[in-house]
Amino acid sequence: VLLALAPLFQDLQRSVLACVIVVSLRGALRKVRDLPQLWQLSPADALVWVGTAATCVLVSTEAGLLAGVILSLLSLAGRMQRPHATLLARVGDSAFYEDTSEFEGLIPEPGVCVFRFAGPLYYANKDFFLRSLYSLTGLDAGCLATRSKEKGAEVGASEGGPGDSKDPGAESGRAALVAPVASFHTVVIDCAPLLFLDASGMATLRELHRNYGALGVNLLLACCSPPVRDVLRKGGFLREGPGDLAEEELLFPSVHSAVQAARAHRGELAAADSSL
């Protein structure tokens, strides 16, 4: 119409053109009646709609479209920065795990924290990811790992200097310092909602794995998608090569399999301690 039929409309009065526009937009104008329901469903979407419509009416259509795009991007960025984070527990005797804040009667696994982060892990929300994990588990791994390293360095210095860090006595001293800190021995991250990882998210997982290791806590990943596994391999979180022991010990196809592996590993450690 704009390219070929525009000359046919140039002699029409503006009132006629306005009627054409109003009739073509009557579907959009009727959506004003759906605004209360839209507000109940998603206040962010309702604000985007109101801002776009008000800018179109008060300024111009072009400015309204630009405002709609900008508000939509801001709304999307806000949702991705603070996704839903929760702890999971087992549903009865099944192999399914659900949100402990939404369902009653769930059975938590003793000594295992199952954490779900319902969104991507990237530079804008990596701090929120760590805060949510530390708050829900009740253990600030970053702060405590730093303290344990400092105490371990003091123990190593008192037993002969930093060169004796491989001494079993020093290692047992560090274990004694950090053992009572955590009430759990394994953290399982449900990566099913994890859409993608960037370099910052990769560094966050690597640092989290290192901090938990300093506290004697295992970090396991469950339900990782193929793109996420590729990023983990390329980022150095996993060793490359199929069938590698590192990947088999860290990645699991389901949350239940990760919990069972953590339980079996804990049983092996307990058996070794009892034999010693």
Side-chain angles (χ1 to χ4, degrees):
V1 171
L2 291 176
L3 293 176
L5 303 180
L8 300 180
F9 292 90
Q10 64 182 358
D11 295 330
L12 294 178
Q13 298 179 359
R14 292 194 174 187
S15 58
V16 177
L17 295 176
C19 290
V20 174
I21 295 175
V22 169
V23 170
S24 64
L25 292 179
R26 66 177 183 269
L29 295 176
R30 287 173 182 171
K31 290 185 178 181
V32 177
R33 296 178 297 182
D34 300 334
L35 190 59
Q37 182 180 1
L38 181 61
W39 177 266
Q40 294 179 356
L41 180 63
S42 175
D45 291 339
L47 292 176
V48 170
W49 193 95
V50 171
T52 303
T55 308
C56 287
V57 173
L58 299 177
V59 184
S60 65
T61 305
E62 294 81 1
L65 294 176
L66 180 61
V69 171
I70 294 176
L71 291 176
S72 298
L73 291 176
L74 292 177
S75 174
L76 180 61
R79 293 176 182 179
M80 294 177 65
Q81 281 186 347
R82 301 182 66 86
H84 182 62
T86 184
L87 291 180
L88 306 182
R90 189 176 179 183
V91 182
D93 295 331
S94 66
F96 299 98
Y97 291 75
E98 292 295 342
D99 188 351
T100 55
S101 62
E102 297 291 338
F103 297 90
E104 297 180 354
L106 301 181
I107 304 174
E109 180 67 23
V112 179
C113 292
V114 183
F115 177 71
R116 174 182 289 171
F117 191 72
L121 180 58
Y122 67 118
Y123 72 95
N125 65 358
K126 60 183 181 65
D127 293 332
F128 178 74
F129 171 82
L130 293 177
R131 288 198 306 269
S132 301
L133 177 59
Y134 294 160
S135 175
L136 291 172
T137 58
L139 178 69
D140 191 340
C143 181
L144 293 179
T146 302
R147 295 179 183 176
S148 66
K149 290 178 182 178
E150 294 176 354
K151 292 180 180 179
E154 294 176 359
V155 172
S158 63
E159 293 185 359
D164 299 333
S165 58
K166 295 184 179 180
D167 185 10
E171 295 295 332
S172 62
R174 293 189 187 94
L177 288 171
V178 301
V181 174
S183 60
F184 50 88
H185 55 79
T186 304
V187 173
V188 178
I189 299 180
D190 182 12
C191 299
L194 198 64
L195 301 178
F196 64 88
L197 286 170
D198 66 351
S200 298
M202 183 69 253
T204 301
L205 283 181
R206 193 185 301 113
E207 181 182 1
L208 185 65
H209 183 264
R210 184 166 54 250
N211 291 336
Y212 274 139
L215 297 176
V217 178
N218 294 326
L219 178 65
L220 306 179
L221 305 181
C223 305
C224 293
S225 62
V228 173
R229 287 200 299 268
D230 292 339
V231 174
L232 292 176
R233 293 191 187 101
K234 295 177 182 178
F237 189 81
L238 301 172
R239 303 192 209 120
E240 296 183 355
D244 202 335
L245 290 178
E247 182 170 345
E248 293 176 358
E249 294 174 357
L250 293 176
L251 300 187
F252 295 88
S254 65
V255 173
H256 187 58
S257 61
V259 172
Q260 286 182 323
R263 187 189 308 164
H265 181 67
R266 187 65 175 179
E268 293 175 358
L269 293 179
D273 291 341
S274 61
S275 62
L276 290 176

